[in-house]
Structure formats: C-alpha cells, structure tokens
Amino acid sequence: GMAVAVRVAAAVAGAIGLGLIFGHPAWWVIGVLLVLLGWHSYHLVRFERWLRGPRSRRPPDVPGIWGTIHAHVYRIRRRNRQRKKRLTRLLKEFRKSTAAMPDAGVVLNPTNEISWINAAAERLLGFSKADRGRRIDNLIRDPNFVRYLRTEDRSGAVQIDSPADPERRLAVQVIPYGENQQLLLAKDVTRERRLEKVRRDFVGNASHELRSPLTVISGYLDSLGHDADLPESWRAPVAEMTQQAARMQRIIEDLLTLSRLEAAEPEARRDPVDVGGMLAVIRKDLLAVRPRPENISLSLASKDGLLGSEPELYSAAYNLVSNAVKYTPEDGRVAIRWFVDHDGGHLEIADTGIGIPDEAIPRLTERFYRVDKGRDRGRGGTGLGLAIVKHVLNRHGARLDIASELGAGSTFTCHFPPARIDPAEADCGEKDTVMAGSAGGR
C-alpha cells in the first residue's frame, strides 16, 4: 500500500515538474492521473476475468500491487480448496460411519423438524429422504413419545412400537447438542423385550407351580410341630424347616407380586387412598414385631391422600417401613412422615439404623441384591422388597430418593407428582397429626 502511494506521489510530482517546464501544470497532473486510472482499470478487468475463470488456474504475471493481490487471492483459493477437500473427506467418512450404525439417528432442528437421517432410521423407523423438513411427532404418533418430546427432562429413553413395523420395539432418546440442535437415537430392543417377557413368564409360572407343593410341605411341618408325640430331637429341625418354608413362601409371594406389577398396565389405577389411615395400620402392625426399635413415630403434616392402587401403595410403604424397623437397633427410632407441597406428596421414612454404604445405594432396588448377605438372610428378608417398591412407584409416576450414612441411619423418600394427590376436604385443615413413641406396642 505504501509503495502505491509513493508511486502515485512520484507521478504527480513528475507531472507538476513537467507542467512547470512546459506550462499548464494542472493539465499535466490530470493527464498523469488519467493514465494511472486507465492502468488500474485495465488490471482490475483482468483480475475480475481471472476470478471468473477456473479456480485452479494460476494467476497471470502482473507487475506491482495487482501482482500482489493476484498472489494473495490465489493463496486463499488454494487454502480453501484444501479445506474443502478435507471437509468433503470428513463428510464421506461421517456418512460411511453413520450408514454402518445399527441405531437409527435423526437430526432435528429447534422446531422438531427432520434435518437429516441415517440408513438405520429408514430401516427401523420407516423414514425416507422425502421426510426431511417434516415434524417428527407427525411421523411418530405414539402418545408416550409425544409426551416425552414435550418434557424438559429427557435423561431417560422412551419405548415405542416402530412406525415401520408394529412387531418391532424401539427405545428412543432425544439428546440436545450444538446450537438448539437435537439428535434422536432409536435402538432396536425387540429381542431384549422378548427375553424380558420370557423371564417374566418363567418367574410367574415357576412361582405359581412352587406355591402348591410348598403349601402342602408347610402344612405337614406345622402339624409335626404341634404333634405332642414328636421326639424331642426332631423339634429343633422341624422348627427350622417350618421357618425356612415360611421364608420360601414369602419369596414366592414377592415374586408373584413383582410378576403381577410387571404384567399390569404401565400406569396404576387412580382410586382414592387414605395415606394417613394406611400408615397408621402399618405402624400398628410393626409395633407388634419383636425385636423392634423403641420409638416408631408417625407424623401426618397433610390430610391429603393419593390417587392410586391401595394394595400396591400399602405393599410399597410396608416394605419401606418394615426395612427401617428391621435394620434399626432396639434403642433406635423410626420416623414416618407424610407431607404435601407444590411439588407433590412426599412419604419419608427415616431411621437411626445401620446405614448403607454409598456404593450399594444405586443397586438397592435390584432383585435379590443384598448389602450384607449373611445379616440379611438372618433377618428373614426376601431381597425383593425394594424391587417391589420401585415398580409400584414407577406405576404411580413417583420416584425414590435414598440418603444414608453408615452407622447413623437412612432416609427413604417417595416423591409423588401433584397429579397423583387426592386433596382433602377444605374443612379438614392442615394441622399436624403425630403418633409418636411406642404407645400401644408394649
């Protein structure tokens, strides 16, 4: 830029010099400037013609500033060409990798319209290239998916029947990324679902088949236990067998409960449930258990009830409270609390028991999972109680929170959504009802 300015200044100075020698310096300056303008216009036209030509063509050999401009643009063009080749190569590799993906992938824009699909999406969801620009909820009309798409929290997946093949079951998840973009992933879980059904049917059928012979065995053992003529040496073995048969019956009953819950509709029915009355009954039953903590208290901060299945909710609450009683020493305490706020209803069972290690908490609701196998079996547990609790809560749209400290106790809280709350009559008030201590239990 400086060189051009110097050249123009030198040309103007020369024109002024010639003007002083030959007269009319202004005309000499105008003439020199017109020559410069013509020269630049000519090279500007050449530059434009070169830009319109093939991108790979080398620049013409031009002197001065125009040569520098040609060289700069040629370098930029070559760099862009190399970048374009690299991007094209990456795009080809991306297409190859997405075509090889077994899971369906669909890119959605902020308004849930399809921007891109992979080959698996055509196969699993029945989409085609022509569906680009269409809203995803116009193509997947499953109510569970539509509801899932409208929720803010999409941490989990939702299962749907494939629009292309109703026999095929898909697990679908929508993951946000980039600037308001969303990636829908659909995984074929048909085989897993069939295996789950086979397992469920087997457990249910086996439990049913085992119940009858076990009832007969228990009946005979009970008769033997009460038989005055039974030799003294047989009394302890028969009592032990009776105890183990009763434990087997509890396991079978729990397995049948789980099978029923799994076979039922995903959502529990909506009957009015008197939570306060239900918890009072559970507390009364557990006050009769020996050994037990000295203090089992019940605090009802709300008269509101729940809309759900009373047998299921009773089973879940009983399992949680009996667990707290089972793992709390006799000088400890168990506090049952029911309260309702704008987030819904909350059933809290806090104990001062042995506590649970942090690494065990995520696995507590697995079937037959035990933190301390020897200690648990000695207490007569089935290892299925918390699995039942999880299923019942899922069916009521609720979730279970577990907080615990080893040696200090645990708190299990069931959070029920506002839609499951059955409001009490207006004149009932919101006064706390507390049933504390061991009254009635001693």
Side-chain angles (χ1 to χ4, degrees):
M2 193 68 184
V4 172
V6 168
R7 281 187 192 135
V8 169
V12 169
I16 291 169
L18 288 169
L20 290 172
I21 295 167
F22 297 107
H24 306 291
W27 286 107
W28 279 97
V29 170
I30 290 167
V32 165
L33 289 175
L34 283 172
V35 168
L36 280 172
L37 183 63
W39 188 82
H40 282 296
S41 299
Y42 167 70
H43 284 295
L44 182 63
V45 170
R46 280 189 74 186
F47 179 63
E48 191 272 336
R49 197 178 298 138
W50 175 69
L51 281 178
R52 273 194 285 118
R55 287 176 177 268
S56 57
R57 199 170 80 188
R58 294 189 67 81
D61 188 16
V62 181
I65 187 71
W66 286 104
T68 308
I69 290 170
H70 276 81
H72 276 318
V73 173
Y74 182 67
R75 265 198 306 277
I76 292 166
R77 272 185 161 186
R78 198 169 56 194
R79 220 169 24 239
N80 285 347
R81 204 160 53 243
Q82 286 166 349
R83 193 179 292 125
K84 189 177 175 183
K85 279 180 183 173
R86 194 162 60 247
L87 286 171
T88 306
R89 192 170 62 251
L90 283 170
L91 192 60
K92 278 180 183 171
E93 285 172 11
F94 172 72
R95 280 182 175 156
K96 278 181 191 171
S97 64
T98 53
M101 269 174 64
D103 298 344
V106 181
V107 173
L108 304 173
N109 69 13
T111 55
N112 294 324
E113 290 167 347
I114 296 171
S115 302
W116 172 89
I117 60 169
N118 70 348
E122 297 181 35
R123 187 177 72 256
L124 294 178
L125 293 163
F127 293 175
S128 69
K129 302 269 191 306
D131 290 322
R132 286 179 186 170
R134 293 184 66 185
R135 283 178 61 93
I136 191 77
D137 45 356
N138 287 338
L139 298 169
I140 303 176
R141 294 177 179 272
D142 187 293
N144 289 332
F145 174 75
V146 174
R147 199 159 43 242
Y148 168 79
L149 201 61
R150 286 174 186 160
T151 57
E152 290 295 319
D153 177 27
R154 295 181 188 160
S155 50
V158 64
Q159 289 204 3
I160 62 164
D161 291 330
S162 165
D165 178 6
E167 294 297 310
R168 200 191 289 270
R169 191 72 171 168
L170 304 175
V172 179
Q173 186 168 11
V174 177
I175 304 157
Y177 77 96
E179 299 221 350
N180 294 324
Q181 294 290 305
Q182 303 170 96
L183 176 63
L184 180 145
L185 292 173
K187 180 183 174 66
D188 189 346
V189 291
T190 312
R191 185 170 176 274
E192 289 90 330
R193 193 191 184 205
R194 284 179 188 145
L195 287 171
E196 180 65 20
K197 187 177 184 306
V198 168
R199 180 197 62 76
R200 205 163 54 231
D201 291 348
F202 169 76
V203 170
N205 293 337
S207 303
H208 273 292
E209 292 302 323
L210 285 168
R211 189 155 59 167
S212 298
L214 194 58
T215 304
V216 174
I217 291 166
S218 298
Y220 279 117
L221 285 170
D222 197 43
S223 299
L224 278 170
H226 291 93
D227 188 348
D229 297 332
L230 185 73
E232 196 58 40
S233 59
W234 275 93
R235 291 211 175 272
V238 166
E240 176 64 18
M241 284 189 283
T242 305
Q243 192 182 338
Q244 293 301 327
R247 185 163 165 265
M248 281 178 72
Q249 276 185 311
R250 285 198 301 275
I251 291 173
I252 284 167
E253 290 305 323
D254 280 354
L255 283 171
L256 286 170
T257 300
L258 272 173
S259 293
R260 278 196 297 273
L261 288 170
E262 288 177 331
E265 289 297 312
E267 280 208 25
R269 60 179 188 264
R270 292 175 176 267
D271 300 336
V273 178
D274 175 9
V275 176
M278 179 180 79
L279 294 174
V281 170
I282 290 171
R283 175 178 176 272
K284 188 180 175 187
D285 286 351
L286 290 169
L287 281 171
V289 170
R290 287 288 183 275
R292 65 159 175 81
E294 188 178 336
N295 187 315
I296 302 175
S297 66
L298 170 59
S299 163
L300 301 174
S302 172
K303 301 267 187 182
D304 293 352
L306 282 170
L307 295 170
S309 163
E310 184 158 19
E312 291 179 24
L313 291 169
Y314 182 92
S315 174
Y318 188 89
N319 271 305
L320 288 171
V321 181
S322 65
N323 262 5
V325 167
K326 196 187 303 177
Y327 297 112
T328 302
E330 289 185 62
D331 61 349
R333 66 183 184 276
V334 172
I336 310 159
R337 185 166 161 249
W338 167 249
F339 61 100
V340 175
D341 57 25
H342 66 278
D343 291 325
H346 313 276
L347 172 59
E348 182 185 275
I349 295 102
D351 65 57
T352 58
I354 59 174
I356 305 152
D358 286 347
E359 66 274 11
I361 288 174
R363 298 193 60 195
L364 278 183
T365 55
E366 290 178 19
R367 294 158 189 249
F368 299 114
Y369 178 76
R370 296 174 186 277
V371 178
D372 181 340
K373 293 173 175 57
R375 192 203 296 254
D376 283 11
R377 290 212 170 92
R379 291 168 188 263
T382 65
L384 294 164
L386 288 174
I388 290 170
V389 170
K390 185 181 79 170
H391 271 282
V392 169
L393 294 184
N394 283 348
R395 285 169 46 73
H396 287 80
R399 72 176 203 280
L400 178 67
D401 275 350
I402 305 168
S404 187
E405 194 181 326
L406 266 180
S410 310
T411 302
F412 287 74
T413 313
C414 308
H415 300 284
F416 293 89
R420 284 281 179 175
I421 301 302
D422 182 25
E425 295 299 322
D427 60 349
C428 283
E430 282 295 309
K431 194 175 70 174
D432 270 24
T433 304
V434 179
M435 298 167 71
S438 53
R442 289 203 178 268

